[in-house]
Amino acid sequence: VEDDFETQLVNGQDLSSPEEFGRLVSISSAGANAGAAVFDSTPGGPNDPGPDGDLLVGSGLMVILQSDGSASQSVPGVFDLPDDDDDGGELCFDFAAAVRLQRLDLVDIDESVVVPTTVTLVDTSGRERLYVVEPGWTDGPGRRTLDLTQLVPQLGRGGIVTASEQAGFAPYQVVRLELEFAGSGALDNLVWWPASSAPALPEPHFKSSP
């Protein structure tokens, strides 16, 4: 739903305008694509059959970067043929107030590209935490959860995610999320806490060398 928690999003909805989520977050995009859009991933749903069989993971509505080759809108604000762009691009979330990001799901980060997908968190001071997602992390078609609260490597089915951050990065004060798709893919289940109510971080645990 939109951020009034009542209005239902629809398959193919163009998310480039601020009306849908303007009170909590604004969504933008960059690159050779037609912008952020809603994709229904239900097997047997409106996109089955269709050009994006790898995204039919049964996760309901997801966010894609719409292919610029399928940008027609017979109904203004709704793409006729939801289709993620093979060239990827940047999907950005700018939060109205600082948040503590928890996790997100990535879909169809497969081995067909040779460069990684990246997820960047930016805090109120402009410091960054970077996650580098290797091709094949979801083992082609599939979905996998990326934990945004830790820096340890996160193993996938066919790749790994490594993380790093600038000194002084404030995980409770994130104001921007930048997701750079290297190719096809989708985002789902982005979870965050408002900074004012974020749960306490767990105590760090260290493993000594053998």
Side-chain angles (χ1 to χ4, degrees):
V1 297
E2 299 180 9
D3 68 3
D4 60 4
F5 303 108
E6 295 180 358
T7 306
Q8 183 68 41
L9 296 168
V10 299
N11 183 51
Q13 188 162 340
D14 186 348
L15 298 178
S16 61
S17 60
E19 287 79 8
E20 288 84 3
F21 301 102
R23 286 176 290 184
L24 294 178
V25 63
S26 61
I27 300 175
S28 60
S29 63
N33 57 76
V38 174
F39 183 92
D40 189 331
S41 67
T42 306
N47 296 315
D48 185 8
D52 279 326
D54 288 351
L55 296 184
L56 299 176
V57 294
S59 188
L61 301 180
M62 307 188 300
V63 180
I64 62 171
L65 289 172
Q66 176 69 21
S67 171
D68 55 0
S70 303
S72 62
Q73 297 183 2
S74 299
V75 176
V78 180
F79 291 106
D80 295 335
L81 182 64
D83 179 11
D84 65 338
D85 200 301
D86 292 340
D87 296 324
E90 187 175 61
L91 177 63
C92 300
F93 293 75
D94 288 289
F95 298 94
V99 300
R100 162 70 169 170
L101 289 173
Q102 298 291 298
R103 63 184 182 274
L104 57 80
D105 287 353
L106 293 174
V107 181
D108 193 27
I109 307 300
D110 60 31
E111 298 175 345
S112 63
V113 294
V114 296
V115 296
T117 289
T118 60
V119 179
T120 305
L121 285 55
V122 184
D123 71 11
T124 52
S125 298
R127 299 183 179 94
E128 297 181 352
R129 173 181 289 179
L130 173 67
Y131 293 89
V132 178
V133 184
E134 291 183 350
W137 190 64
T138 66
D139 193 24
R143 179 184 64 233
R144 196 163 183 85
T145 300
L146 176 63
D147 187 339
L148 299 175
T149 68
Q150 61 175 314
L151 295 175
V152 298
Q154 299 181 52
L155 297 177
R157 296 185 178 92
I160 193 170
V161 175
T162 56
S164 61
E165 64 181 30
Q166 294 178 316
F169 172 80
Y172 285 107
Q173 297 294 319
V174 174
V175 292
R176 183 175 174 87
L177 171 69
E178 301 171 352
L179 174 54
E180 184 74 30
F181 283 106
S184 299
L187 166 71
D188 195 23
N189 297 327
L190 174 61
V191 178
W192 73 84
W193 287 85
S196 59
S197 62
L201 286 169
E203 290 296 322
H205 291 80
F206 299 95
K207 183 177 181 180
S208 59
S209 299

